[in-house]
Amino acid sequence: MPNRQDELDRPPHISGRLGTDGFRPDIQALRALAVGLVVLNHLWPTRLAGGYVGVDVFFVISGYLISAHLIREIDGTGRIRIVQFYARRVRRLLPAAFLVLVSVVVAAFFLVPHARWAAYAHEVMASALYWENWLLTAEFSSHPVDFTKFTAVTSYWSLSVEEQFYLCWPLFLLLLFRLRTPRARFAGIAAVGLASLAFCVYLTAVAQGPGYFVTPIRVWEFAIGTVVALGGARFELPKVAAQAASLLGFAAILGSAVLFTGTTEFPGAIALIPTVGAGLVIAAGARPGRQWHTALTSSAPVQLLGDISYSLYLWHWPLVVLVPFAVPGGVLTFSTRVGIVAVSLVLAYLSKRLVEDRIRTWPRLVGSVRLTFAGMAAGMAAVCLVAGGLLWG
């Protein structure tokens, strides 16, 4: 395996189209917006009740970035180096995820009542094995969703969905691209996406609680990103249309975050609003040149927030859940919530620079797929062993 950095994880460049040197500032800004909505929703749920749509925006971004990378590789070589692809995902995602899981176990030992230790242990193990979404589905299939039963790692459900997508999607694309015509490829992706959307609408109506977490009802959101990647390789929007698409896309995302509530039947068909909005923003950004939002979205603070968005997502929820155990009365005041944001940002920045970047680019791991997967297995075993200490306790 060549000693090079993963194209999907390099710092953003200023050109419009996704190239071999990394992803775009507008996508970094979209990541920043998505994680900002999620964090604000978790800390001020009554002020931004629909901020949970940020997770769905992340799914569209992931579908686009991964698919664009895989489509270039298939078009260029006729194949996918599937093992190397999985190894890059392992180096990129697992080190920080494992660090947060171990930190949660340690914090839970000192802060969480003993009666909750078993729940924490089970969810930490499931999160380390990227099965958290199915564990939550099983837990809430027999009774209504109880938010007080969520642990400090419940947020890993979305990471589990993404990992399951990463596991299956490259194989699907490789099979699909054996079809010679672009129209047939598009039809194949659209068919899978529409089937997933139909199942999503049905399950949201009959079992919204447990259905929220299952992977099949989220595939269509990744498929939106894939359709944009497939179309963007062949054409770009005219200048005026691109400006209008990005304006409409950002409005759809922000409008959903403001207008949706905890009682909205979500995801369901209504999730098309923020996800199609994200697709419009990404499609519009494929055209080189400045847009109406470039001054803001390309600014250093926005780009930095997008750069640390993954780590920020990992760190903020454990603090939201665990800090009440450490403050008088268990009540989060406004200043405490602001403090959680500040601490989350610091932890995200430090773990991005000291853990994610260093391990992802460590030459020994980059040059050895076997060592990468051995490290993955060792990390999973270590996290499960530490979590097992809570069960023993």
Side-chain angles (χ1 to χ4, degrees):
M1 183 176 180
N3 185 5
R4 63 185 178 85
Q5 189 174 339
D6 183 358
E7 293 96 334
L8 295 175
D9 303 316
R10 291 186 179 182
H13 59 92
I14 302 302
S15 64
R17 188 179 296 278
L18 182 70
T20 57
D21 58 342
F23 49 89
R24 307 172 333 214
D26 60 313
I27 296 181
Q28 280 288 70
L30 200 55
R31 278 181 158 183
L33 174 61
V35 76
L37 293 177
V38 172
V39 172
L40 292 176
N41 170 253
H42 287 162
L43 281 168
W44 287 277
T46 60
R47 301 289 181 87
L48 194 66
Y52 50 77
V53 301
V55 172
D56 303 84
V57 173
F58 272 126
F59 288 160
V60 177
I61 295 172
S62 295
Y64 173 78
L65 290 174
I66 293 299
S67 298
H69 174 77
L70 294 173
I71 289 170
R72 286 198 308 271
E73 186 172 358
I74 296 173
D75 283 340
T77 66
R79 64 188 181 92
I80 295 176
R81 296 180 302 168
I82 193 71
V83 176
Q84 286 82 355
F85 169 81
Y86 291 145
R88 287 195 299 270
R89 295 296 88 201
V90 167
R91 292 193 300 271
R92 168 68 177 89
L93 300 174
L94 268 60
F98 289 167
L99 172 64
V100 174
L101 289 175
V102 171
S103 300
V104 166
V105 172
V106 174
F109 177 81
F110 291 102
L111 297 175
V112 176
H114 292 180
R116 297 284 293 146
W117 282 12
Y120 270 73
H122 291 148
E123 288 201 28
V124 167
M125 291 178 183
S127 298
L129 300 175
Y130 287 92
W131 204 250
E132 171 70 356
N133 62 316
W134 293 105
L135 176 63
L136 294 175
T137 301
E139 288 182 353
F140 295 123
S141 291
S142 57
H143 53 79
V145 176
D146 184 356
F147 293 100
T148 64
K149 293 184 179 296
F150 284 179
T151 72
V153 297
T154 299
S155 59
Y156 273 68
W157 76 266
S158 64
L159 306 180
S160 300
V161 170
E162 289 215 22
E163 285 298 319
Q164 292 156 27
F165 166 76
Y166 294 148
L167 185 64
C168 301
W169 203 247
L171 301 175
F172 170 69
L173 286 182
L174 187 59
L175 177 65
L176 189 64
F177 268 64
R178 295 188 181 278
L179 303 175
R180 296 301 180 183
T181 63
R183 183 175 297 179
R185 297 169 182 174
F186 176 84
I189 294 171
V192 171
L194 289 173
S196 170
L197 176 59
F199 183 52
C200 174
V201 173
Y202 166 75
L203 201 59
T204 300
V206 301
Q208 183 182 6
Y212 188 89
F213 302 108
V214 300
T215 304
I217 73 165
R218 300 287 180 168
V219 169
W220 67 271
E221 298 180 323
F222 296 100
I224 288 177
T226 303
V227 168
V228 174
L230 193 62
R234 289 166 175 79
F235 69 90
E236 61 186 35
L237 294 173
K239 183 176 180 180
V240 174
Q243 299 280 12
S246 64
L247 179 61
L248 181 60
F250 277 118
I253 296 169
L254 291 171
S256 300
V258 172
L259 298 177
F260 290 2
T261 68
T263 60
T264 301
E265 286 197 359
F266 197 88
I270 201 168
L272 282 164
I273 298 175
T275 52
V276 170
L280 287 173
V281 172
I282 297 171
R287 179 183 177 84
R290 294 179 63 85
Q291 293 190 341
W292 61 271
H293 57 75
T294 299
L296 174 62
T297 56
S298 294
S299 64
V302 173
Q303 291 297 299
L304 177 60
L305 183 59
D307 193 37
I308 65 172
S309 58
Y310 174 62
S311 290
L312 181 57
Y313 182 84
L314 290 175
W315 282 109
H316 85 280
W317 178 252
L319 291 175
V320 171
V321 175
L322 292 172
V323 167
F325 290 109
V327 298
V331 177
L332 293 179
T333 63
F334 177 81
S335 59
T336 305
R337 295 170 197 263
V338 173
I340 288 175
V341 173
V343 173
S344 298
L345 288 169
V346 172
L347 290 174
Y349 180 83
L350 292 176
S351 63
K352 175 68 168 64
R353 295 293 180 259
L354 301 180
V355 178
E356 288 184 57
D357 290 346
R358 291 191 179 184
I359 295 180
R360 175 171 52 81
T361 58
W362 187 23
R364 289 191 63 186
L365 283 181
V366 174
S368 174
V369 170
R370 289 185 178 181
L371 186 59
T372 296
F373 287 116
M376 176 192 75
M380 288 180 172
V383 172
C384 290
L385 183 63
V386 172
L390 287 182
L391 285 178
W392 179 84

